[in-house]
Amino acid sequence: MRADELAANLAAVRRRIEVACESAGRDPGEVSLVVVTKFFPASDVRLLADLGVTDVGENRHQEAEAKAAECADLGLRWHFIGGLQSNKAAAVASYADVVESLDRAKLVGPLSRGAQARTDATGVAAGVDVLLQVSLDPPGTGHRSGAAPAELDPLAQRVEESETLRLRGLMAVAPLGEDPAAAFARLAAIREDFVREHPRATVLSAGMSGDLEAAVAHGATHVRVGSAVLGPRPAVQ
Ligand SMILES: *Cc1c(COP(=O)(O)O)cnc(C)c1O
């Protein structure tokens, strides 16, 4: 049964996080699991919530919007982890509790407006948590997703000016074809500088199914795990 499969995979991933924390001398309570449910149906999200998952990640706006609506009764925290288009950013901020992929100043306005529309049960503006996505690609590489490290400070300032966005920290993906430990070591140094300027922005979202141990060793507070929990995704993305 799907529920048993998800339960077993989830237990194995939680165990991996614990072991990684032990090796790094960290408290496992410091590392949160975000289960990436992209390409999988809302029924899986429901099973995951039953298994104690509190945070889910999605990377495509339309799919995320539909699933968040279908699962609105579950009280989950929705993380948007995909590339953001400026014409979709306001809509994303209307259902995502955490936007992890803010990588350019142009997105701050629409995200703020989208977040403005959200209110909690008492009608108070609820706001949206934001992580800045930093690129770990070597400089000069053609397409990068994520801001260059030097762009983080001005971007953070723009977020801090917004009344509805809360700057929480950084997100990164290890580049393909490089040892993730080397990439996450660079990330740890970038984060150290960043937190010095923005002492409350302590979240570090890094590590996926294949490299969560390396990310935990380099200070990740959130790991985003998809296939190790849900199984392989369809090949076309
Ligand atoms: C899909 C995705 C993940 C999860 O990847 P897995 O290898 O399936 O664990 C994590 N982060 C981002 C940004 C993703 O797009």
Side-chain angles (χ1 to χ4, degrees):
M1 256 174 58
R2 184 62 168 156
D4 300 327
E5 185 186 346
L6 292 179
N9 290 347
L10 199 54
V13 166
R14 288 191 171 130
R15 184 71 196 134
R16 280 176 65 190
I17 295 171
E18 269 173 34
V19 170
C21 285
E22 255 165 54
S23 329
R26 300 181 59 193
D27 174 354
E30 289 173 25
V31 180
S32 305
L33 172 62
V34 178
V35 179
V36 178
T37 49
K38 64 190 186 196
F39 289 93
F40 289 94
S43 56
D44 279 349
V45 177
R46 218 159 261 285
L47 293 172
L48 290 166
D50 281 344
L51 293 166
V53 168
T54 55
D55 290 74
V56 291
E58 288 283 336
N59 73 337
R60 298 186 305 178
H61 164 58
Q62 282 185 331
E63 180 185 348
E65 184 177 47
K67 243 181 262 180
E70 255 182 276
C71 298
D73 58 310
L74 300 177
L76 294 166
R77 277 169 68 76
W78 292 83
H79 296 242
F80 191 83
I81 62 173
L84 277 164
Q85 291 170 267
S86 45
N87 62 341
K88 302 278 170 59
V92 167
S94 72
Y95 60 83
D97 303 289
V98 187
V99 173
E100 299 204 6
S101 42
L102 176 54
D103 63 357
R104 56 198 191 277
K106 204 182 160 191
L107 297 168
V108 173
L111 283 175
S112 297
R113 280 196 302 282
Q116 190 103 47
R118 296 168 71 104
T119 52
D120 68 16
T122 62
V124 174
V128 170
D129 287 349
V130 165
L131 306 183
L132 308 186
Q133 182 172 357
V134 59
S135 169
L136 299 176
D137 296 332
T141 332
H143 174 79
R144 56 163 79 232
S145 58
E151 296 165 346
L152 291 176
D153 252 336
L155 191 52
Q157 281 169 26
R158 293 292 310 278
V159 175
E160 283 170 332
E161 285 160 19
S162 159
E163 285 176 13
T164 53
L165 303 180
R166 290 179 296 255
L167 181 69
R168 294 296 200 210
L170 300 177
M171 183 272 247
V173 178
L176 287 172
E178 186 191 1
D179 172 14
F184 291 144
R186 288 203 299 285
L187 177 60
I190 293 166
R191 183 226 201 166
E192 197 180 320
D193 288 345
F194 187 77
V195 171
R196 205 172 294 127
E197 298 299 320
H198 310 279
R200 284 176 307 187
T202 53
V203 168
L204 184 62
S205 172
M208 325 200 297
S209 294
D211 58 17
L212 73 86
E213 286 81 3
V216 167
H218 289 97
T221 62
H222 290 66
V223 292
R224 308 176 306 270
V225 180
S227 48
V229 174
L230 289 136
R233 286 182 291 274
V236 282
Q237 291 224 8

